[in-house]
Amino acid sequence: MWLIALLVLSIAFIVLATTRLKMHPFLALLLTAFGFGILSGMPLKDVVDSVNNGFGGTIGYIGIVILAGAIIGAFLEKSGGAYRLATSILKITGQKQVPMAMAGMGYIVSIPVFCDSAFVLLAPLMRALASKAGITLASAAVALSLGLYATHTMVPPTPGPVAAAGILGADLGLVIMWGMLVGLVSLVAGWLFAVLVASRTYIAPEGGPGMESDAEAAPAPGAEAEGPTVLRSLLPIFLPIVLIVARSIGELPSKPFGEGGALMDILGFLGQPVVALLIGVGLAMTLPKRFDREMLSMSGWVGQAIVGAATIIIITGAGGAFGKVLQNSGIADVIGGALTGSNLGVWLPFIIAAGIKTAQGSSTVAIITTAGLIAPLLSSLGLDGETQRALVVVAIGAGAMVVSHANDSYFWVVTQFSGMDVKTGYRLQTLGTLVQGTAAASAVYVLTMFAL
């Protein structure tokens, strides 16, 4: 109970420090990580190691991705490419359907691509669409973030669902089928939340941490006419996604591209998020009508993008440090052990995953830990058939959405790239993931009643 109470106090401190005391989120997260580790009774050396490993591991995974995404975004925005894409998409969807377009894009892209990378890649387009449509960035950002979440935790080939399917002995094809169906329900819930709730909060499409001011970001007169074509503007965003998807498909257990060989070696390299986004950077540099070497300087487009991305990287790293301290404190075992004795049917894996996710921040850790706890209980819960096992994997994935907050690196990527302060992030991103995850779990419950 002390660990759970300490977690609640830690979250309250982060919100109070960043909103009332105006403390930088980096400092608030770092202080909270050390405070939680020490007060939870962890050995002092383990606290320091957890902070260092969490910070370094998170930045090692997402740092270059964020930098590359920021550079792609800068070239897209300043060349007129983002403006061109926004105009083209709005002609198809209409001015009022930006959240739907972003949510649908997220649902598809996040099946093979991690949420963090996908949000960074799509952020320039999100801002351009919100600006062109004249709507608050909050609704577009929340629709995109929840659209990405809709499939990320429930549909292979993302690692969490694949690992859970292996632990529970579930058929991967059934997991994909049920995961995509339940993902649609959560997608609708996330889109409705973005339209009905997030749209009431105004955030300017330009400005905020890591973004340019209104004057800098506004397209120059005639930008659409002078900017690159739609196809050229799409390539820096979607070629990296295609490469990452191809690598994920190639690594499926069925090995559709063959076992090993030159093709898989090449795909395995080019499909790494870091390499794929650096290829996107190269393509983005072809977008300006007149390329100037000054664009690559410290004071040019690249330099401005790196400075803007630095804040996002250190905050995301501090969030990773806090999450790693929570993981190493053993809070996941406390929550999982307390719930495994209850008789809740298919709600049990959802609640355990939600508790672990909320406690330590990582959806993947929550999914794998819950799968290990639930595996020996499947027979006693009456969930040991082929379809039941697949639905349990999906239920665990639904729980792993609930909730994204300060100990989750994705929370900081979403809030920093969309200009939300911490209080707004809790009100929109955190509450949105609660609504979405609960809707997904309800869909799984209904399926267990009628589809078995």
Side-chain angles (χ1 to χ4, degrees):
M1 289 302 297
W2 169 236
L3 285 178
I4 295 172
L6 192 57
L7 173 64
V8 173
L9 290 173
S10 298
I11 295 168
F13 172 76
I14 292 168
V15 175
L16 177 66
T18 53
T19 56
R20 293 290 182 87
L21 304 180
K22 306 299 182 185
M23 185 183 292
H24 195 283
F26 170 74
L27 285 178
L29 284 163
L30 212 55
L31 287 173
T32 306
F34 275 104
F36 185 97
I38 293 168
L39 294 175
S40 68
M42 289 175 64
L44 297 181
K45 182 180 183 301
D46 290 354
V47 175
V48 175
D49 288 345
S50 296
V51 169
N52 286 335
N53 293 337
F55 188 85
T58 302
I59 289 181
Y61 164 69
I62 200 71
I64 297 176
V65 169
I66 290 177
L67 285 168
I71 294 170
I72 292 170
F75 274 81
L76 271 171
E77 289 173 352
K78 293 176 179 293
S79 68
Y83 187 79
R84 168 85 74 171
L85 285 175
T87 302
S88 302
I89 291 173
L90 288 178
K91 286 178 182 177
I92 299 171
T93 64
Q95 297 278 349
K96 296 181 179 180
Q97 301 304 324
V98 169
M100 182 182 291
M102 297 312 302
M105 209 176 298
Y107 174 88
I108 295 168
V109 168
S110 196
I111 291 174
V113 181
F114 272 91
C115 294
D116 311 63
S117 304
F119 196 93
V120 170
L121 270 169
L122 295 172
L125 182 57
M126 168 192 78
R127 293 199 296 269
L129 281 169
S131 178
K132 181 68 177 173
I135 64 170
T136 171
L137 183 61
S139 62
V142 170
L144 175 59
S145 73
L146 298 185
L148 289 165
Y149 237 15
T151 49
H152 175 70
T153 61
M154 295 189 290
V155 181
T158 44
V162 171
I167 293 168
L168 296 172
D171 180 80
L172 209 58
L174 286 175
V175 174
I176 292 172
M177 182 184 74
W178 292 118
M180 292 195 73
L181 179 60
V182 175
L184 282 174
V185 175
S186 68
L187 174 72
V188 172
W191 166 69
L192 287 173
F193 182 85
V195 171
L196 299 177
V197 179
S199 60
R200 298 177 183 177
T201 300
Y202 183 74
I203 299 176
E206 302 85 18
M211 292 184 277
E212 298 136 309
S213 67
D214 292 5
E216 289 173 321
E224 187 177 0
E226 294 185 5
T229 63
V230 171
L231 180 60
R232 285 180 60 208
S233 301
L234 277 172
L235 276 177
I237 299 175
F238 284 103
L239 182 59
I241 291 173
V242 169
L243 291 172
I244 295 170
V245 169
R247 171 176 169 263
S248 297
I249 292 173
E251 292 179 350
L252 287 173
S254 60
K255 302 294 181 186
F257 301 142
E259 189 79 39
L263 176 60
M264 275 309 302
D265 287 344
I266 293 170
L267 278 180
F269 174 71
L270 297 180
Q272 292 286 346
V274 169
V275 177
L277 265 82
L278 288 176
I279 291 171
V281 168
L283 291 169
M285 289 180 180
T286 68
L287 296 179
K289 189 174 183 180
R290 289 176 293 276
F291 184 82
D292 187 338
R293 282 181 296 176
E294 178 63 23
M295 295 174 181
L296 307 182
S297 69
M298 291 184 65
S299 59
W301 294 4
V302 171
Q304 292 170 22
I306 289 174
V307 169
T311 299
I312 300 171
I313 290 171
I314 63 168
I315 292 173
T316 303
F322 181 36
K324 180 61 73 174
V325 169
L326 289 170
Q327 287 177 32
N328 292 344
S329 72
I331 193 170
D333 294 333
V334 171
I335 292 172
L339 290 171
T340 49
S342 58
N343 185 21
L344 296 168
V346 79
W347 285 101
L348 180 61
F350 167 77
I351 294 171
I352 293 176
I356 294 173
K357 161 66 177 178
T358 302
Q360 52 77 48
S362 169
S363 293
T364 303
V365 169
I367 290 171
I368 295 171
T369 304
T370 304
L373 290 167
I374 287 293
L377 303 176
L378 288 177
S379 295
S380 60
L381 291 170
L383 298 170
D384 56 348
E386 283 294 319
T387 301
Q388 291 100 322
R389 287 174 186 270
L391 286 172
V392 168
V393 173
V394 177
I396 292 171
M401 296 179 184
V402 180
V403 291
S404 174
H405 65 98
N407 59 10
D408 180 8
S409 62
Y410 185 52
F411 174 86
W412 296 105
V413 170
V414 172
T415 54
Q416 296 303 298
F417 268 91
S418 56
M420 296 182 196
D421 58 28
V422 176
K423 186 176 180 181
T424 304
Y426 269 90
R427 191 158 44 84
L428 299 184
Q429 172 69 5
T430 304
L431 182 57
T433 55
L434 174 61
V435 169
Q436 187 176 41
T438 305
S442 300
V444 173
Y445 177 69
V446 171
L447 287 171
T448 59
M449 293 173 63
F450 294 102
L452 300 183

